[in-house]
Amino acid sequence: MVADWVRCERCADLIYGKRFARTLRVCPDCGWHSPLTARQRLDQLLDAGSAAPVGEVRPLHDPLEFADTRPYAERLADARAKTGLTEAVICALGRIEDQPVVVAAMDFRFLGGSLGCGVGALICEAARTSLARRVPLLLITASGGARMQEGALALMQMAKTAQAMAELDEAGILTVSLITDPTYGGVAASYATLADVIVAEPGARLGFAGPRVIEQTTGERLPEGFQTAEFLMEHGMVDDIVPRSALRPTLARLLALGHVAPPEPATPASADEPEATAAGPRGGRHAAHEETARSAVVRCVGEVVERDAWEAVRGARHPERPTVMDYIGHILDDFLELHGDRLTEDCPAVVGGPGRLGGRPVMVIGQHKGGASLTERQAHRFGMPAPSGYRKSARLMRMAAKLGLPVVTLVDTPGANPGPDAERGGQALAIAENLRLMARLPVPVVAAVVGEGGSGGALALAVADRVLISAGGVYSVISPEGCAAILWKNPEAARTAAAALRLAPRELLRLGVVDGVVPEPPDGAHRDPAKAAALLGDALAEALGELVPWDPDRLLGARAERFRRFGLDTGVPAGSAGAQPHTGRGAS
């Protein structure tokens, strides 16, 4: 029940009780999200009538026979009487917009939502249920930390619940945390932050040590908003901040990722149908299809228009050329951007998250230069990632591998970030780790250079089974200006350097660096962004259609062979599908 009038604890305005209930107990004036009980959480999130209890557990009762000003046993009895709960968490099976889920919802009223033996046992039981039924686990946290009255046994619950989360990781089960205010201590340092996706309500606080403890211990005065969801988002710790009214649809979209059908087993090759190699897919069904249907990807060097290299560079840099977010908006359904590297920040030069490409769930990651204005481009660092950007992309790739989602990367960057902060942050290591990770991802990976493909910053997202390039794109080891300054000792020799670098699509296809060229509208993608996006979407869908039936061993073997051939005189071009042999005359 809601009182006739409720006073907002943030802005102090009076809110009509029925209106407060309609807004899900959120202040309509200032957006303050009032605390909810565990049962209120389940009622708001789960489909009506879908909740069913998870199995019971029998934790130790008052294992230390603890007493402070009152015996712990009395405190437990009081908490149970006042809340109607047996512990500080309720676990249930249910559905959110018809997506099955196991939910563990914490209740701060019960001894501050503290983590003791009972809570630990119930969280683990929820995880076991999730594992047994192979449905996602949703954790809704509200806690002051570990339960001091249970001593070291409470501390052990952090390890116990972390182990349960690790078992779900190994089994490929999606986990999602919803952080509510407050979430501190042992809960924050275990299952709350170990989920694949972490969303938070506006203003929710999360941290290991509470602000009062920090100020008393260090004598420092903390900045306004410290440890809030907004602070955490800026520092790369949470994926998204979702207001209460949007939680059900947002969670439903995430939970749908946990029910991706496994790919059909690859059809074994017959004696006259050789296994696929880095030179392309094997024949049979794929070859017949390519003969009867027009491919969305140009794979023959002779069909690619030859362009002046310097004009190609200028075109790839055109300020009105579609950005990665423009492409994502056109080609993906249900895209949900995820944020942060879980370590330092949310790099604005890298965007990524799950979505659907032609109905197929995928993980999309790209380098975003920002819009046409200088202000927007500065805000997105001109598409040059910081180390945190590479770490964010790596996190999303690992999540894709866990869930069996194909990875699509959209490359558009002048190159790695040249600033000293990037070097202090370990930029070389971050790029190297991405290269190693992508080399062994057990899911299909398709990369498309949609603008500039500059140096290691581009390659960090382009170790793929199929590497495509838009007809207006370029891909090079260094910018023409940089090459001219180093080798010609004259930056004005950039045009000459561009030609020498062979960085336009035709030459890249001839060399086998790319596997195909994606057509663009006449006069460039900026003339018709919607058409350019449609062409790119068709090309990506075609490449994924070739790869999705392959099992992980076949993917990894072909990907390794693709890159192993670069720089070797094997008589067969490096790269994959459709790369034509080099005739020595620059065309075929």
mmCIF file of all heavy atoms in Angstrom, residues 12-37:
data_model
loop_
_atom_site.group_PDB
_atom_site.id
_atom_site.type_symbol
_atom_site.label_atom_id
_atom_site.label_comp_id
_atom_site.label_asym_id
_atom_site.label_seq_id
_atom_site.Cartn_x
_atom_site.Cartn_y
_atom_site.Cartn_z
ATOM 1 N N ALA A 12 12.162 16.785 -1.631
ATOM 2 C CA ALA A 12 11.218 17.121 -0.551
ATOM 3 C C ALA A 12 9.835 17.503 -1.055
ATOM 4 O O ALA A 12 8.987 17.922 -0.263
ATOM 5 C CB ALA A 12 11.778 18.230 0.346
ATOM 6 N N ASP A 13 9.550 17.341 -2.338
ATOM 7 C CA ASP A 13 8.208 17.614 -2.845
ATOM 8 C C ASP A 13 7.236 16.539 -2.370
ATOM 9 O O ASP A 13 7.619 15.376 -2.178
ATOM 10 C CB ASP A 13 8.207 17.648 -4.375
ATOM 11 C CG ASP A 13 8.703 18.970 -4.919
ATOM 12 O OD1 ASP A 13 9.030 19.859 -4.107
ATOM 13 O OD2 ASP A 13 8.769 19.098 -6.152
ATOM 14 N N LEU A 14 5.968 16.948 -2.230
ATOM 15 C CA LEU A 14 4.920 15.983 -1.909
ATOM 16 C C LEU A 14 4.399 15.375 -3.201
ATOM 17 O O LEU A 14 4.161 16.072 -4.195
ATOM 18 C CB LEU A 14 3.775 16.655 -1.152
ATOM 19 C CG LEU A 14 4.025 16.932 0.333
ATOM 20 C CD1 LEU A 14 2.861 17.705 0.930
ATOM 21 C CD2 LEU A 14 4.234 15.629 1.101
ATOM 22 N N ILE A 15 4.225 14.061 -3.187
ATOM 23 C CA ILE A 15 3.756 13.336 -4.375
ATOM 24 C C ILE A 15 2.451 12.627 -4.009
ATOM 25 O O ILE A 15 2.364 11.951 -2.978
ATOM 26 C CB ILE A 15 4.792 12.293 -4.834
ATOM 27 C CG1 ILE A 15 6.190 12.918 -4.948
ATOM 28 C CG2 ILE A 15 4.376 11.661 -6.155
ATOM 29 C CD1 ILE A 15 7.296 11.887 -5.034
ATOM 30 N N TYR A 16 1.440 12.781 -4.844
ATOM 31 C CA TYR A 16 0.175 12.084 -4.624
ATOM 32 C C TYR A 16 0.430 10.584 -4.675
ATOM 33 O O TYR A 16 1.076 10.071 -5.593
ATOM 34 C CB TYR A 16 -0.833 12.508 -5.689
ATOM 35 C CG TYR A 16 -2.210 11.921 -5.527
ATOM 36 C CD1 TYR A 16 -2.853 11.919 -4.290
ATOM 37 C CD2 TYR A 16 -2.884 11.358 -6.620
ATOM 38 C CE1 TYR A 16 -4.109 11.383 -4.146
ATOM 39 C CE2 TYR A 16 -4.142 10.818 -6.486
ATOM 40 C CZ TYR A 16 -4.753 10.828 -5.240
ATOM 41 O OH TYR A 16 -6.007 10.291 -5.096
ATOM 42 N N GLY A 17 -0.041 9.855 -3.689
ATOM 43 C CA GLY A 17 0.289 8.447 -3.539
ATOM 44 C C GLY A 17 -0.023 7.594 -4.751
ATOM 45 O O GLY A 17 0.787 6.749 -5.161
ATOM 46 N N LYS A 18 -1.202 7.810 -5.357
ATOM 47 C CA LYS A 18 -1.560 7.000 -6.527
ATOM 48 C C LYS A 18 -0.637 7.305 -7.707
ATOM 49 O O LYS A 18 -0.293 6.414 -8.488
ATOM 50 C CB LYS A 18 -3.017 7.243 -6.908
ATOM 51 C CG LYS A 18 -4.012 6.663 -5.894
ATOM 52 C CD LYS A 18 -5.442 6.845 -6.367
ATOM 53 C CE LYS A 18 -6.410 6.204 -5.365
ATOM 54 N NZ LYS A 18 -7.829 6.395 -5.780
ATOM 55 N N ARG A 19 -0.240 8.568 -7.833
ATOM 56 C CA ARG A 19 0.698 8.912 -8.897
ATOM 57 C C ARG A 19 2.052 8.276 -8.626
ATOM 58 O O ARG A 19 2.725 7.783 -9.543
ATOM 59 C CB ARG A 19 0.836 10.431 -8.995
ATOM 60 C CG ARG A 19 1.697 10.889 -10.170
ATOM 61 C CD ARG A 19 1.912 12.382 -10.175
ATOM 62 N NE ARG A 19 2.647 12.809 -11.366
ATOM 63 C CZ ARG A 19 3.227 13.987 -11.510
ATOM 64 N NH1 ARG A 19 3.159 14.893 -10.536
ATOM 65 N NH2 ARG A 19 3.867 14.287 -12.617
ATOM 66 N N PHE A 20 2.474 8.254 -7.367
ATOM 67 C CA PHE A 20 3.741 7.635 -6.974
ATOM 68 C C PHE A 20 3.738 6.155 -7.340
ATOM 69 O O PHE A 20 4.742 5.617 -7.834
ATOM 70 C CB PHE A 20 3.947 7.839 -5.472
ATOM 71 C CG PHE A 20 5.320 7.499 -4.967
ATOM 72 C CD1 PHE A 20 6.455 8.049 -5.535
ATOM 73 C CD2 PHE A 20 5.483 6.628 -3.887
ATOM 74 C CE1 PHE A 20 7.721 7.749 -5.055
ATOM 75 C CE2 PHE A 20 6.736 6.325 -3.394
ATOM 76 C CZ PHE A 20 7.861 6.887 -3.983
ATOM 77 N N ALA A 21 2.603 5.482 -7.126
ATOM 78 C CA ALA A 21 2.491 4.067 -7.476
ATOM 79 C C ALA A 21 2.565 3.878 -8.992
ATOM 80 O O ALA A 21 3.208 2.939 -9.479
ATOM 81 C CB ALA A 21 1.195 3.488 -6.930
ATOM 82 N N ARG A 22 1.918 4.792 -9.740
ATOM 83 C CA ARG A 22 1.929 4.668 -11.199
ATOM 84 C C ARG A 22 3.331 4.854 -11.767
ATOM 85 O O ARG A 22 3.677 4.268 -12.796
ATOM 86 C CB ARG A 22 0.983 5.698 -11.836
ATOM 87 C CG ARG A 22 -0.483 5.363 -11.704
ATOM 88 C CD ARG A 22 -1.314 6.192 -12.677
ATOM 89 N NE ARG A 22 -1.135 7.625 -12.486
ATOM 90 C CZ ARG A 22 -1.833 8.389 -11.666
ATOM 91 N NH1 ARG A 22 -2.777 7.843 -10.907
ATOM 92 N NH2 ARG A 22 -1.608 9.687 -11.582
ATOM 93 N N THR A 23 4.152 5.671 -11.121
ATOM 94 C CA THR A 23 5.526 5.896 -11.596
ATOM 95 C C THR A 23 6.513 4.884 -11.017
ATOM 96 O O THR A 23 7.726 5.083 -11.079
ATOM 97 C CB THR A 23 6.003 7.315 -11.245
ATOM 98 O OG1 THR A 23 5.972 7.483 -9.820
ATOM 99 C CG2 THR A 23 5.122 8.362 -11.900
ATOM 100 N N LEU A 24 5.988 3.786 -10.464
ATOM 101 C CA LEU A 24 6.822 2.710 -9.909
ATOM 102 C C LEU A 24 7.672 3.207 -8.749
ATOM 103 O O LEU A 24 8.806 2.782 -8.567
ATOM 104 C CB LEU A 24 7.703 2.080 -10.999
ATOM 105 C CG LEU A 24 6.956 1.536 -12.225
ATOM 106 C CD1 LEU A 24 7.945 0.979 -13.235
ATOM 107 C CD2 LEU A 24 5.947 0.467 -11.818
ATOM 108 N N ARG A 25 7.105 4.132 -7.975
ATOM 109 C CA ARG A 25 7.747 4.704 -6.789
ATOM 110 C C ARG A 25 8.990 5.515 -7.151
ATOM 111 O O ARG A 25 10.012 5.457 -6.466
ATOM 112 C CB ARG A 25 8.063 3.610 -5.753
ATOM 113 C CG ARG A 25 6.814 2.907 -5.233
ATOM 114 C CD ARG A 25 7.132 1.759 -4.297
ATOM 115 N NE ARG A 25 5.922 1.109 -3.845
ATOM 116 C CZ ARG A 25 5.343 1.277 -2.652
ATOM 117 N NH1 ARG A 25 5.892 2.098 -1.766
ATOM 118 N NH2 ARG A 25 4.242 0.641 -2.338
ATOM 119 N N VAL A 26 8.880 6.244 -8.237
ATOM 120 C CA VAL A 26 9.917 7.176 -8.673
ATOM 121 C C VAL A 26 9.333 8.578 -8.632
ATOM 122 O O VAL A 26 8.214 8.800 -9.113
ATOM 123 C CB VAL A 26 10.403 6.850 -10.099
ATOM 124 C CG1 VAL A 26 11.403 7.893 -10.587
ATOM 125 C CG2 VAL A 26 11.022 5.452 -10.147
ATOM 126 N N CYS A 27 10.065 9.526 -8.062
ATOM 127 C CA CYS A 27 9.574 10.904 -7.991
ATOM 128 C C CYS A 27 9.412 11.463 -9.407
ATOM 129 O O CYS A 27 10.390 11.499 -10.172
ATOM 130 C CB CYS A 27 10.530 11.779 -7.185
ATOM 131 S SG CYS A 27 10.055 13.525 -7.146
ATOM 132 N N PRO A 28 8.218 11.922 -9.771
ATOM 133 C CA PRO A 28 8.014 12.439 -11.124
ATOM 134 C C PRO A 28 8.700 13.777 -11.375
ATOM 135 O O PRO A 28 8.824 14.199 -12.522
ATOM 136 C CB PRO A 28 6.496 12.575 -11.226
ATOM 137 C CG PRO A 28 6.030 12.729 -9.818
ATOM 138 C CD PRO A 28 6.974 11.942 -8.973
ATOM 139 N N ASP A 29 9.148 14.449 -10.312
ATOM 140 C CA ASP A 29 9.775 15.755 -10.466
ATOM 141 C C ASP A 29 11.293 15.676 -10.580
ATOM 142 O O ASP A 29 11.884 16.247 -11.485
ATOM 143 C CB ASP A 29 9.372 16.668 -9.299
ATOM 144 C CG ASP A 29 7.882 16.947 -9.287
ATOM 145 O OD1 ASP A 29 7.323 17.180 -10.376
ATOM 146 O OD2 ASP A 29 7.275 16.916 -8.209
ATOM 147 N N CYS A 30 11.933 14.961 -9.647
ATOM 148 C CA CYS A 30 13.402 14.938 -9.655
ATOM 149 C C CYS A 30 13.988 13.592 -10.072
ATOM 150 O O CYS A 30 15.199 13.467 -10.233
ATOM 151 C CB CYS A 30 13.946 15.327 -8.278
ATOM 152 S SG CYS A 30 13.717 14.056 -7.004
ATOM 153 N N GLY A 31 13.148 12.550 -10.237
ATOM 154 C CA GLY A 31 13.638 11.251 -10.672
ATOM 155 C C GLY A 31 14.202 10.371 -9.578
ATOM 156 O O GLY A 31 14.770 9.319 -9.869
ATOM 157 N N TRP A 32 14.035 10.782 -8.294
ATOM 158 C CA TRP A 32 14.530 9.939 -7.196
ATOM 159 C C TRP A 32 13.848 8.580 -7.223
ATOM 160 O O TRP A 32 12.634 8.469 -7.335
ATOM 161 C CB TRP A 32 14.252 10.639 -5.861
ATOM 162 C CG TRP A 32 14.461 9.775 -4.654
ATOM 163 C CD1 TRP A 32 15.632 9.311 -4.178
ATOM 164 C CD2 TRP A 32 13.446 9.296 -3.753
ATOM 165 N NE1 TRP A 32 15.440 8.559 -3.034
ATOM 166 C CE2 TRP A 32 14.100 8.543 -2.751
ATOM 167 C CE3 TRP A 32 12.062 9.440 -3.697
ATOM 168 C CZ2 TRP A 32 13.411 7.925 -1.708
ATOM 169 C CZ3 TRP A 32 11.370 8.821 -2.664
ATOM 170 C CH2 TRP A 32 12.052 8.072 -1.681
ATOM 171 N N HIS A 33 14.657 7.515 -7.166
ATOM 172 C CA HIS A 33 14.146 6.144 -7.145
ATOM 173 C C HIS A 33 14.081 5.667 -5.695
ATOM 174 O O HIS A 33 15.118 5.452 -5.061
ATOM 175 C CB HIS A 33 15.051 5.219 -7.956
ATOM 176 C CG HIS A 33 14.857 5.330 -9.440
ATOM 177 N ND1 HIS A 33 14.904 6.539 -10.103
ATOM 178 C CD2 HIS A 33 14.602 4.380 -10.397
ATOM 179 C CE1 HIS A 33 14.694 6.330 -11.394
ATOM 180 N NE2 HIS A 33 14.511 5.037 -11.593
ATOM 181 N N SER A 34 12.878 5.537 -5.180
ATOM 182 C CA SER A 34 12.736 5.123 -3.788
ATOM 183 C C SER A 34 13.117 3.657 -3.624
ATOM 184 O O SER A 34 13.021 2.870 -4.578
ATOM 185 C CB SER A 34 11.299 5.333 -3.312
ATOM 186 O OG SER A 34 10.440 4.405 -3.950
ATOM 187 N N PRO A 35 13.542 3.255 -2.432
ATOM 188 C CA PRO A 35 13.872 1.842 -2.206
ATOM 189 C C PRO A 35 12.638 0.962 -2.380
ATOM 190 O O PRO A 35 11.511 1.378 -2.104
ATOM 191 C CB PRO A 35 14.361 1.818 -0.758
ATOM 192 C CG PRO A 35 14.721 3.229 -0.432
ATOM 193 C CD PRO A 35 13.799 4.086 -1.233
ATOM 194 N N LEU A 36 12.869 -0.263 -2.833
ATOM 195 C CA LEU A 36 11.797 -1.248 -2.975
ATOM 196 C C LEU A 36 12.144 -2.481 -2.155
ATOM 197 O O LEU A 36 13.315 -2.800 -1.948
ATOM 198 C CB LEU A 36 11.630 -1.667 -4.436
ATOM 199 C CG LEU A 36 11.203 -0.600 -5.449
ATOM 200 C CD1 LEU A 36 11.112 -1.220 -6.837
ATOM 201 C CD2 LEU A 36 9.873 0.020 -5.059
ATOM 202 N N THR A 37 11.127 -3.171 -1.716
ATOM 203 C CA THR A 37 11.351 -4.462 -1.071
ATOM 204 C C THR A 37 11.620 -5.505 -2.154
ATOM 205 O O THR A 37 11.373 -5.281 -3.348
ATOM 206 C CB THR A 37 10.128 -4.889 -0.248
ATOM 207 O OG1 THR A 37 9.044 -5.183 -1.151
ATOM 208 C CG2 THR A 37 9.694 -3.781 0.706
#
